[in-house]
Amino acid sequence: MKRDSRNVFIAAVLFIGAIFLLSAYYYRTDAVKRVSEQTYHRLADSGAEQSVVLNAKINAQFAVLETFAKSINYKGGSSVKSDMTAFMRNLVLSSVFTHSSYIDRSGKGYLEYGTEIDASQSDYFKKAMAGNRSIEMQPATKQHPVCFIAAVPVFRGGEVVGVVTGSYDENTLKKLLESKSFSGQHASFICDSNGNIVLGSDSPTYMFAAGRPLAGIHNVFNGYWNDEASANRKSGDVAADFKALRSGSFTFAMNGHSRYVTYEPIGINDWLLVNGIPGDVVAGVVKENSATAYMLFTQLSQQQNMFRTLKNPYR
């Protein structure tokens, strides 16, 4: 009779253990899904906040230039070079701009110290002459590092008569891409509507290729398109979002490692803010949850062993 009771007890323990293992499996599966959803929400919220800050900061720079452009109009549209260069030097000293220029409607102009320039073929000049704000990245040269040029039209009597610009180095924008989210395992990029990378953060996270951000990588879809089978969305659908400047998200795997990515339009040019984290961040949280479940299982097993000892102390 005692043997039967013991067999029943062992069977009950095994049954409870099986139930627990099955529950642990579903717990982990649910945890992966839940943590992934939470990660996307957190990443999207972080991107939305960064996008608002970027928009506000860049628009503030435009506002400074537009105030300067209005003052030129107010002073009668002075074309005296010495007066203009003095105004521009004051602008540089009192703003984030490293250089400023005045350009007439022909595309010829000069910087704050009088250096003459020809901007007639530049996109920022053409857009400003059409009456629009514009910001454009200038690639690095042997003489100058990468910089961004913001341009606004100078109006007189409702007609565009010239352009005022302000330029600054890439670090001014890079600072706005910094984020303390995800314990530093986070990378941000400004991209255009074709996925081309305009600027990336200094994050050490390998996001779109096996190397630091922008290490020979010029498009966020490089790794994504190369291994689309691992992604949760078709590249064409994501590319359509980029073209339409819609926010969204996707995951893909690169060299066996997953990536979580969200994107959000900035409201400047055709730019989007792209944020990404490695899947290891999600795996780490799931692992913590699994460790908690394992601890509960261990405690349950210990309690069962204690019960068995009390049930049969001379076993």
Side-chain angles (χ1 to χ4, degrees):
M1 191 70 177
K2 288 184 177 180
R3 182 180 296 274
D4 291 340
S5 298
R6 185 180 300 172
N7 290 338
V8 170
F9 178 79
I10 293 173
V13 171
L14 291 175
F15 178 74
I16 292 173
I19 292 296
F20 182 85
L21 290 175
L22 188 60
S23 298
Y25 170 77
Y26 283 110
Y27 176 86
R28 178 177 174 78
T29 303
D30 180 68
V32 171
K33 181 180 179 181
R34 178 164 37 83
V35 172
S36 297
E37 290 175 351
Q38 291 173 350
T39 300
Y40 270 131
H41 287 310
R42 185 178 168 194
L43 195 60
D45 289 344
S46 175
E49 290 176 5
Q50 282 182 284
S51 179
V52 169
V53 171
L54 274 168
N55 183 283
K57 292 288 186 179
I58 294 174
N59 277 319
Q61 294 162 6
F62 280 134
V64 169
L65 290 175
E66 285 170 342
T67 299
F68 177 47
K70 289 176 181 177
S71 71
I72 295 173
N73 188 27
Y74 178 76
K75 294 178 181 297
S78 173
S79 59
V80 179
K81 189 173 181 178
S82 59
D83 289 346
M84 291 295 294
T85 53
F87 295 154
M88 290 188 288
R89 286 195 295 272
N90 288 333
L91 174 65
V92 170
L93 289 173
S94 60
S95 68
V96 298
F97 299 118
T98 55
H99 293 287
S100 181
S101 70
Y102 174 77
I103 307 167
D104 64 25
R105 67 178 75 198
S106 71
K108 302 294 178 64
Y110 42 83
L111 299 173
E112 71 274 12
Y113 284 103
T115 305
E116 294 186 352
I117 60 172
D118 184 350
S120 58
Q121 300 305 309
S122 66
D123 287 338
Y124 69 82
F125 170 72
K126 294 174 182 177
K127 290 177 181 177
M129 283 302 297
N132 303 311
R133 291 173 166 183
S134 176
I135 183 168
E136 182 179 312
M137 185 188 77
Q138 297 292 298
T141 64
K142 291 182 179 180
Q143 294 78 25
H144 304 287
V146 173
C147 72
F148 287 83
I149 298 179
V152 299
V154 177
F155 290 98
R156 187 183 305 155
E159 180 184 0
V160 178
V161 296
V163 174
V164 168
T165 76
S167 62
Y168 44 85
D169 63 43
E170 62 179 349
N171 290 325
T172 301
L173 276 184
K174 274 191 176 183
K175 290 178 181 178
L176 300 178
L177 296 179
E178 294 176 357
S179 174
K180 296 181 180 178
S181 300
F182 303 100
S183 303
Q185 294 180 289
H186 175 272
S188 297
F189 303 84
I190 294 176
C191 306
D192 66 19
S193 57
N194 291 316
N196 298 314
I197 296 173
V198 177
L199 184 68
S201 63
D202 285 327
S203 168
T205 298
Y206 298 168
M207 189 52 56
F208 297 108
R212 288 178 63 85
L214 303 185
I217 303 305
H218 305 292
N219 193 291
V220 298
F221 292 124
N222 280 4
Y224 185 33
W225 277 329
N226 290 339
D227 194 8
E228 186 171 350
S230 70
N232 69 333
R233 295 183 62 196
K234 292 181 179 180
S235 59
D237 294 338
V238 177
D241 280 352
F242 271 56
K243 280 290 188 182
L245 299 179
R246 290 191 295 259
S247 59
S249 62
F250 63 90
T251 60
F252 72 101
M254 186 183 67
N255 299 327
H257 298 282
S258 60
R259 299 286 189 270
Y260 287 72
V261 183
T262 63
Y263 45 92
E264 181 84 20
I266 298 174
I268 303 292
N269 290 351
D270 64 338
W271 290 355
L272 299 98
L273 179 67
V274 178
N275 282 323
I277 58 170
D280 293 344
V281 174
V282 176
V285 177
V286 173
K287 186 176 180 180
E288 290 178 6
N289 290 342
S290 298
T292 302
Y294 178 77
M295 288 175 61
L296 291 173
F297 175 70
T298 301
Q299 291 174 0
L300 178 63
S301 298
Q302 290 173 345
Q303 289 173 357
Q304 290 174 343
N305 288 333
M306 288 176 60
F307 179 75
R308 291 177 64 184
T309 302
L310 292 172
K311 186 84 173 176
N312 187 4
Y314 301 107
R315 178 177 175 269

